[in-house]
Amino acid sequence: SYELTQPSSVSVSPGQTARITCSGDIVAKKYVRWFQQKPGQAPVVVIYKDSERPSGIPERFSGSISGTTVTLTISGAQVEDESDYYCYSAADNRGVFGGGTKLTVL
Amino acid sequence: EVQLVESGGGLVKPGGSLRLSCAASGFTFSSYSMNWVRQAPGAGLEWVSSISSVSTYINYADSVKGRFTISRDNAKNSLYLQLNSLRADDTAVYYCARDISDLDYWGQGTLVTVSS
């Protein structure tokens, strides 16, 4: 079965660029999407198909891919971006999440 | 507007059973695969199970295989998860989500607590 590996935490000051990585063999084969989850809420997609941004998501959110690693970049992170972030992919009708990254902006 | 509403969670003893439901509206339910995803307290998201649009393909995470059963009723726009032989580590909020590749819409979740 596939696995996705994320750092457990990332910390930046407001206005700095935050980068969260997600690595795994499935990244080179299938699209990855990124979810933002705030406490007590369902996850919300912020990036899909590795680098596409849904409507309504701020332009400071972007995604990129290199080999078996995708990266979520938040350029000029805001305090309101402080959340848990999860990468996700699926193959053969089986889904897999990364372990999640707690982003702290302070 | 797409809506997914889970129900059926609650407190159950170890070894017990529970049936979760997810009522879907606002889209053609029979055209989409559906999924269950769970999140234990303070932990990350875990994909649990998926079922294809007409139930042809069904898959489970290794952690629940043989204990949980996913099903759907396209006539009732409903998704189900039968939870048997429950253990303490099954305690989690259970979400239903649309489409295995996208998980583009989620419900608000239903809490399952396994405790004696």
Side-chain angles (χ1 to χ4, degrees), chain B residues 12-38:
Chain B
V12 61
K13 290 181 168 55
S17 297
L18 214 54
R19 191 194 195 206
L20 307 183
S21 299
C22 172
S25 61
F27 65 102
T28 305
F29 182 72
S30 60
S31 295
Y32 289 86
S33 63
M34 295 296 296
N35 306 268
W36 289 98
V37 175
R38 70 182 180 181

Short mmCIF file of all heavy atoms in Angstrom, two decimals, chain B residues 12-38:
data_model
loop_
_atom_site.label_atom_id
_atom_site.label_comp_id
_atom_site.label_asym_id
_atom_site.label_seq_id
_atom_site.Cartn_x
_atom_site.Cartn_y
_atom_site.Cartn_z
N VAL B 12 -20.66 3.20 22.18
CA VAL B 12 -20.86 1.76 22.07
C VAL B 12 -19.75 1.06 22.82
O VAL B 12 -18.62 1.57 22.91
CB VAL B 12 -20.90 1.32 20.58
CG1 VAL B 12 -19.60 1.66 19.88
CG2 VAL B 12 -21.24 -0.15 20.43
N LYS B 13 -20.04 -0.10 23.38
CA LYS B 13 -19.05 -0.86 24.13
C LYS B 13 -18.10 -1.61 23.19
O LYS B 13 -18.49 -1.95 22.06
CB LYS B 13 -19.73 -1.83 25.07
CG LYS B 13 -20.45 -1.19 26.25
CD LYS B 13 -21.09 -2.23 27.14
CE LYS B 13 -21.56 -1.65 28.46
NZ LYS B 13 -22.47 -0.51 28.31
N PRO B 14 -16.90 -1.89 23.64
CA PRO B 14 -15.98 -2.71 22.82
C PRO B 14 -16.63 -4.02 22.43
O PRO B 14 -17.30 -4.67 23.25
CB PRO B 14 -14.79 -2.93 23.77
CG PRO B 14 -14.81 -1.75 24.67
CD PRO B 14 -16.26 -1.43 24.89
N GLY B 15 -16.46 -4.38 21.15
CA GLY B 15 -17.08 -5.57 20.62
C GLY B 15 -18.45 -5.33 20.03
O GLY B 15 -19.03 -6.22 19.38
N GLY B 16 -18.99 -4.15 20.25
CA GLY B 16 -20.33 -3.83 19.78
C GLY B 16 -20.37 -3.42 18.31
O GLY B 16 -19.36 -3.44 17.61
N SER B 17 -21.56 -3.06 17.88
CA SER B 17 -21.79 -2.70 16.47
C SER B 17 -22.54 -1.38 16.38
O SER B 17 -23.21 -0.95 17.32
CB SER B 17 -22.61 -3.79 15.78
OG SER B 17 -21.93 -5.02 15.76
N LEU B 18 -22.42 -0.78 15.21
CA LEU B 18 -23.08 0.50 14.93
C LEU B 18 -23.24 0.61 13.43
O LEU B 18 -22.41 0.06 12.67
CB LEU B 18 -22.21 1.65 15.46
CG LEU B 18 -22.84 2.92 16.04
CD1 LEU B 18 -23.84 2.58 17.15
CD2 LEU B 18 -21.75 3.83 16.59
N ARG B 19 -24.27 1.29 12.98
CA ARG B 19 -24.45 1.54 11.55
C ARG B 19 -24.52 3.03 11.31
O ARG B 19 -25.40 3.71 11.84
CB ARG B 19 -25.71 0.88 11.03
CG ARG B 19 -25.80 0.89 9.50
CD ARG B 19 -27.19 0.53 9.03
NE ARG B 19 -27.22 0.19 7.60
CZ ARG B 19 -28.30 0.31 6.83
NH1 ARG B 19 -29.42 0.77 7.34
NH2 ARG B 19 -28.23 -0.03 5.56
N LEU B 20 -23.60 3.52 10.51
CA LEU B 20 -23.59 4.93 10.15
C LEU B 20 -24.30 5.12 8.81
O LEU B 20 -24.24 4.26 7.94
CB LEU B 20 -22.16 5.44 10.04
CG LEU B 20 -21.24 5.21 11.24
CD1 LEU B 20 -19.88 5.84 10.98
CD2 LEU B 20 -21.85 5.72 12.51
N SER B 21 -24.94 6.27 8.68
CA SER B 21 -25.61 6.62 7.43
C SER B 21 -25.12 7.98 6.95
O SER B 21 -24.70 8.82 7.75
CB SER B 21 -27.12 6.67 7.61
OG SER B 21 -27.63 5.42 8.01
N CYS B 22 -25.19 8.19 5.66
CA CYS B 22 -24.86 9.47 5.06
C CYS B 22 -25.92 9.76 4.00
O CYS B 22 -26.03 9.04 3.01
CB CYS B 22 -23.47 9.42 4.43
SG CYS B 22 -23.02 10.86 3.45
N ALA B 23 -26.70 10.82 4.23
CA ALA B 23 -27.74 11.21 3.29
C ALA B 23 -27.18 12.27 2.35
O ALA B 23 -26.66 13.30 2.81
CB ALA B 23 -28.94 11.76 4.05
N ALA B 24 -27.28 12.02 1.06
CA ALA B 24 -26.72 12.91 0.05
C ALA B 24 -27.82 13.66 -0.69
O ALA B 24 -28.90 13.10 -0.93
CB ALA B 24 -25.88 12.13 -0.94
N SER B 25 -27.54 14.89 -1.06
CA SER B 25 -28.48 15.68 -1.86
C SER B 25 -27.72 16.72 -2.66
O SER B 25 -26.56 17.03 -2.36
CB SER B 25 -29.51 16.35 -0.95
OG SER B 25 -28.89 17.24 -0.04
N GLY B 26 -28.37 17.23 -3.70
CA GLY B 26 -27.77 18.30 -4.49
C GLY B 26 -26.90 17.85 -5.64
O GLY B 26 -26.29 18.68 -6.32
N PHE B 27 -26.81 16.54 -5.85
CA PHE B 27 -26.03 16.03 -6.99
C PHE B 27 -26.57 14.64 -7.35
O PHE B 27 -27.35 14.04 -6.60
CB PHE B 27 -24.54 15.97 -6.68
CG PHE B 27 -24.14 15.00 -5.59
CD1 PHE B 27 -23.58 13.77 -5.89
CD2 PHE B 27 -24.31 15.32 -4.25
CE1 PHE B 27 -23.21 12.87 -4.90
CE2 PHE B 27 -23.94 14.45 -3.24
CZ PHE B 27 -23.39 13.22 -3.57
N THR B 28 -26.15 14.14 -8.48
CA THR B 28 -26.58 12.81 -8.94
C THR B 28 -25.77 11.75 -8.21
O THR B 28 -24.67 11.37 -8.64
CB THR B 28 -26.42 12.68 -10.46
OG1 THR B 28 -27.13 13.74 -11.11
CG2 THR B 28 -26.99 11.34 -10.93
N PHE B 29 -26.30 11.30 -7.10
CA PHE B 29 -25.58 10.40 -6.19
C PHE B 29 -25.07 9.16 -6.91
O PHE B 29 -23.93 8.73 -6.69
CB PHE B 29 -26.53 10.00 -5.05
CG PHE B 29 -25.91 9.11 -4.01
CD1 PHE B 29 -24.99 9.60 -3.10
CD2 PHE B 29 -26.29 7.77 -3.92
CE1 PHE B 29 -24.43 8.78 -2.14
CE2 PHE B 29 -25.74 6.95 -2.95
CZ PHE B 29 -24.81 7.45 -2.05
N SER B 30 -25.87 8.62 -7.80
CA SER B 30 -25.51 7.35 -8.45
C SER B 30 -24.36 7.48 -9.44
O SER B 30 -23.90 6.48 -9.98
CB SER B 30 -26.73 6.78 -9.17
OG SER B 30 -27.20 7.69 -10.15
N SER B 31 -23.88 8.70 -9.66
CA SER B 31 -22.78 8.92 -10.61
C SER B 31 -21.41 9.00 -9.93
O SER B 31 -20.40 9.12 -10.62
CB SER B 31 -23.01 10.21 -11.41
OG SER B 31 -24.15 10.10 -12.23
N TYR B 32 -21.38 8.96 -8.62
CA TYR B 32 -20.13 9.22 -7.90
C TYR B 32 -19.77 8.07 -6.97
O TYR B 32 -20.64 7.47 -6.32
CB TYR B 32 -20.24 10.48 -7.06
CG TYR B 32 -20.26 11.75 -7.87
CD1 TYR B 32 -21.47 12.24 -8.37
CD2 TYR B 32 -19.10 12.45 -8.13
CE1 TYR B 32 -21.50 13.39 -9.12
CE2 TYR B 32 -19.12 13.62 -8.87
CZ TYR B 32 -20.32 14.08 -9.37
OH TYR B 32 -20.35 15.23 -10.11
N SER B 33 -18.46 7.81 -6.89
CA SER B 33 -17.98 6.95 -5.81
C SER B 33 -18.11 7.72 -4.50
O SER B 33 -18.14 8.95 -4.50
CB SER B 33 -16.53 6.56 -6.05
OG SER B 33 -15.68 7.70 -6.04
N MET B 34 -18.19 6.99 -3.41
CA MET B 34 -18.34 7.60 -2.09
C MET B 34 -17.36 6.95 -1.12
O MET B 34 -16.91 5.81 -1.34
CB MET B 34 -19.77 7.43 -1.58
CG MET B 34 -20.82 8.17 -2.40
SD MET B 34 -20.63 9.97 -2.38
CE MET B 34 -20.92 10.34 -0.63
N ASN B 35 -17.06 7.67 -0.08
CA ASN B 35 -16.01 7.24 0.84
C ASN B 35 -16.38 7.54 2.29
O ASN B 35 -17.17 8.42 2.57
CB ASN B 35 -14.71 8.00 0.54
CG ASN B 35 -14.29 7.88 -0.88
OD1 ASN B 35 -13.53 7.00 -1.24
ND2 ASN B 35 -14.80 8.76 -1.74
N TRP B 36 -15.76 6.80 3.18
CA TRP B 36 -15.75 7.13 4.60
C TRP B 36 -14.31 7.44 4.99
O TRP B 36 -13.39 6.71 4.62
CB TRP B 36 -16.28 5.97 5.43
CG TRP B 36 -17.76 5.77 5.28
CD1 TRP B 36 -18.39 4.86 4.48
CD2 TRP B 36 -18.80 6.50 5.96
NE1 TRP B 36 -19.76 4.98 4.61
CE2 TRP B 36 -20.04 5.97 5.52
CE3 TRP B 36 -18.82 7.53 6.90
CZ2 TRP B 36 -21.27 6.44 5.98
CZ3 TRP B 36 -20.03 8.00 7.35
CH2 TRP B 36 -21.24 7.46 6.90
N VAL B 37 -14.17 8.52 5.73
CA VAL B 37 -12.88 8.96 6.27
C VAL B 37 -13.09 9.20 7.75
O VAL B 37 -14.14 9.71 8.16
CB VAL B 37 -12.42 10.27 5.58
CG1 VAL B 37 -11.13 10.79 6.23
CG2 VAL B 37 -12.22 10.05 4.08
N ARG B 38 -12.12 8.85 8.58
CA ARG B 38 -12.28 9.06 10.01
C ARG B 38 -11.10 9.83 10.59
O ARG B 38 -10.03 9.91 9.99
CB ARG B 38 -12.48 7.74 10.74
CG ARG B 38 -11.24 6.86 10.82
CD ARG B 38 -11.57 5.55 11.54
NE ARG B 38 -10.41 4.67 11.64
CZ ARG B 38 -10.43 3.47 12.20
NH1 ARG B 38 -11.58 2.99 12.71
NH2 ARG B 38 -9.34 2.73 12.26
#
